[in-house]
Amino acid sequence: AKEAEAAEAEAAEGGAEAEKTDASEVPEGKADEEGAAAASGPEAESEAPGEASGGTDGEGEEEKAAEPGEDGTSAEEGGDAQAAVLPPALTPEAAATVLQEWGQVEDGFVAACEAALVKLRDLKHRTLQRSAATRSEFVALLRTPDRRPEIVAAAQRRFNAMPTALRFEEEGKAELHATVEEMQQKIWAASDEKRVMAEQMLTGFAEDGWLAQQALRLL
């Protein structure tokens, strides 16, 4: 019995020493926190439920934001849907095929443009030649000698053939006026003949189909 009492006493002394050692090893910051918690007492405990409820409210808001809307998408997903949708990346083989086809399209476009410019340049050259030819032909028609100089010369001879004494008489004056009027009518008739010929030539230029043929060459 004495030995058991001695063992219990030694165990009690060992436990007391261990408690002292643990108390001495507690950091100063932790000791201050424990003291502040002990001093606050019931007030800290009463504030804890509020903080816990606040945290619960924040989690509820996050859950609401994550909940899907009427259209089945959440708020975050709706914002992402409004952003530009990027196409999927092409594989190297597909990219090479697209590049090759694009190059062919460019080559065809450039070739078509060059051919169109060549046709336009050729049409411009032929149009200038056509304009020069028609102008020369029309001017040559206008400069062609006609009967008007002969008509004037014949009327002048008849006028000069009348004796001077007869020119002052009424019959002589009437004959001279008739000669001049006849000359005027013949000159107008000759002018009308050339005008008709010029109009016919212009109509032939417009209706010969040259412009339509050139337009078909451009197509």
Side-chain angles (χ1 to χ4, degrees):
K2 291 182 180 179
E3 292 178 359
E5 292 179 357
E8 291 178 359
E10 291 177 0
E13 290 178 0
E17 291 177 359
E19 290 178 358
K20 292 179 181 179
T21 304
D22 295 338
S24 63
E25 292 178 355
V26 174
E28 295 180 359
K30 187 174 182 181
D32 294 339
E33 291 177 1
E34 293 177 355
S40 60
E43 296 178 357
E45 293 178 356
S46 62
E47 292 177 357
E51 294 177 357
S53 63
T56 305
D57 296 339
E59 293 177 356
E61 292 178 357
E62 293 178 356
E63 291 177 357
K64 290 180 180 179
E67 290 179 357
E70 295 179 356
D71 56 353
T73 58
S74 62
E76 295 179 356
E77 292 176 354
D80 296 339
Q82 294 177 357
V85 179
L86 297 177
L90 295 176
T91 61
E93 294 79 5
T97 303
V98 171
L99 180 60
Q100 182 180 3
E101 292 181 355
W102 181 260
Q104 294 176 357
V105 171
E106 285 185 346
D107 295 340
F109 177 76
V110 172
C113 290
E114 291 178 352
L117 292 175
V118 169
K119 290 182 178 180
L120 288 174
R121 187 162 50 249
D122 183 55
L123 177 60
K124 179 182 177 181
H125 178 68
R126 283 186 275 106
T127 302
L128 292 175
Q129 290 182 340
R130 165 78 172 184
S131 300
T134 53
R135 182 178 182 277
S136 300
E137 188 175 354
F138 188 75
V139 171
L141 174 65
L142 296 180
R143 292 179 179 178
T144 301
D146 52 14
R147 299 183 298 107
R148 287 178 293 182
E150 298 176 0
I151 294 170
V152 172
Q156 186 177 6
R157 287 193 297 269
R158 287 179 59 186
F159 191 92
N160 295 332
M162 182 175 291
T164 305
L166 187 59
R167 294 177 185 177
F168 295 98
E169 294 180 2
E170 294 298 331
E171 295 178 357
K173 292 179 181 180
E175 187 177 351
L176 292 176
H177 283 293
T179 302
V180 172
E181 289 179 359
E182 184 181 357
M183 178 190 67
Q184 181 182 7
Q185 294 297 329
K186 291 180 179 181
I187 291 175
W188 284 355
S191 299
D192 290 340
E193 290 177 2
K194 180 166 284 191
R195 178 176 60 81
V196 171
M197 294 174 62
E199 290 177 352
Q200 290 177 353
M201 179 177 290
L202 293 177
T203 303
F205 292 155
E207 296 179 354
D208 61 354
W210 182 88
L211 185 59
Q213 293 176 359
Q214 305 309 314
L216 290 176
R217 289 185 180 181
L218 290 177
L219 300 179

